[in-house]
């Protein structure tokens, strides 16, 4: 984290109107990928012990797909669902947080994954104090990641399998990779730093391609 970002993170406390304005002022890009499957993730702004942050999960090692990877609460859209509805449903199913439809502030850019999904990040807001109740079938660990931690600078790796750089975020005592790292980084750029940054040029590690 640079001195500028460290100073900014120490005073980053946003109200709902400010977050809404930054998302509304961002021109979101949808991804049109043939034969892809639609998914949504919830980036939920909450407050705990006086600090704002978001919830992040680590998937169980026993899961069939993307085991032991870090992820935002989310999953595939059910038939007839739109992205905000799916994100709120998955938030409830995975970590036991139930929010109304008007908690949704907007969406960020779609991120197309190597495994055939197009992920839509849905930014939500809650003023209430919630006690998460993670579903052990889907969540091995649950983290509350503060805005201060989200202000960290990403790392970029070069791999022979792709011309795009692999993005990593050093948070929660680990290295979080794309797609989650890309989505969270764009959230930090657009919402926390008020920068209109694109992340579709960032790659996933090879182990996440399947």
């Amino acid at each position: 984290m640079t001195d500028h970002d460290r100073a900014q993170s120490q005073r980053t406390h946003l109200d709902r109107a400010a977050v809404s304005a930054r998302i509304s002022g961002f021109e979101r890009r949808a991804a049109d990928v043939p034969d892809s499957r639609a998914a949504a993730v919830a980036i939920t702004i909450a407050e705990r012990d006086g600090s704002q942050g978001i919830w992040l999960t680590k998937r169980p090692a026993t899961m069939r797909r993307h085991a032991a990877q870090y992820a935002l609460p989310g999953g595939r859209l059910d038939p007839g669902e739109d992205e905000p509805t799916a994100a709120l449903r998955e938030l409830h199913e995975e970590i036991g947080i139930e929010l109304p439809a008007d908690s949704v502030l907007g969406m960020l850019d779609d991120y197309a994954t190597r495994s055939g999904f197009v992920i839509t990040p849905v930014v939500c807001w809650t003023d209430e104090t919630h006690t998460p109740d993670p579903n052990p079938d889907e969540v091995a660990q649950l983290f509350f990641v503060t805005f201060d931690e989200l202000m960290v600078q990403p790392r970029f790796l070069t791999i022979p399998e792709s011309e795009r750089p692999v993005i990593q975020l050093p948070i929660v005592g680990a290295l979080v990779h794309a797609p989650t790292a890309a989505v969270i980084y764009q959230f930090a750029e657009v919402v926390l730093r008020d920068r209109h940054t694109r992340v579709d040029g960032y790659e996933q590690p090879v182990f996440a391609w399947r």
Side-chain angles (χ1 to χ4, degrees), residues 13 18 118:
H13 195 283
V118 170

Side-chain angles (χ1 to χ4, degrees), residues 86-105:
L88 292 177
R89 174 181 54 78
E90 291 283 352
L91 181 70
H92 185 217
E93 291 177 359
E94 291 190 17
I95 67 172
I97 301 298
E98 187 170 13
L99 299 180
D102 63 7
S103 66
V104 173
L105 303 184

Side-chain angles (χ1 to χ4, degrees), residues 169-200:
L169 282 183
I171 56 177
V172 299
L175 291 175
V176 177
H177 298 85
T180 302
V183 169
I184 291 177
Y185 178 55
Q186 186 174 60
F187 169 79
E189 286 286 274
V190 173
V191 174
L192 304 186
R193 297 185 176 99
D194 197 17
R195 300 173 182 166
H196 293 194
T197 300
R198 305 295 176 182
V199 296
D200 56 349

Side-chain angles (χ1 to χ4, degrees), residues 77-83 85-86 89:
L77 272 62
D78 283 347
E81 279 188 325
D82 60 13
E83 292 85 353
T85 302
R89 174 181 54 78

Side-chain angles (χ1 to χ4, degrees), residues 49-68:
D49 300 328
S51 295
Q52 289 178 301
I54 64 172
W55 283 293
L56 177 70
T57 74
K58 185 175 184 181
R59 295 162 63 87
T62 53
M63 295 195 80
R64 185 172 61 87
R65 295 175 63 90
H66 307 301

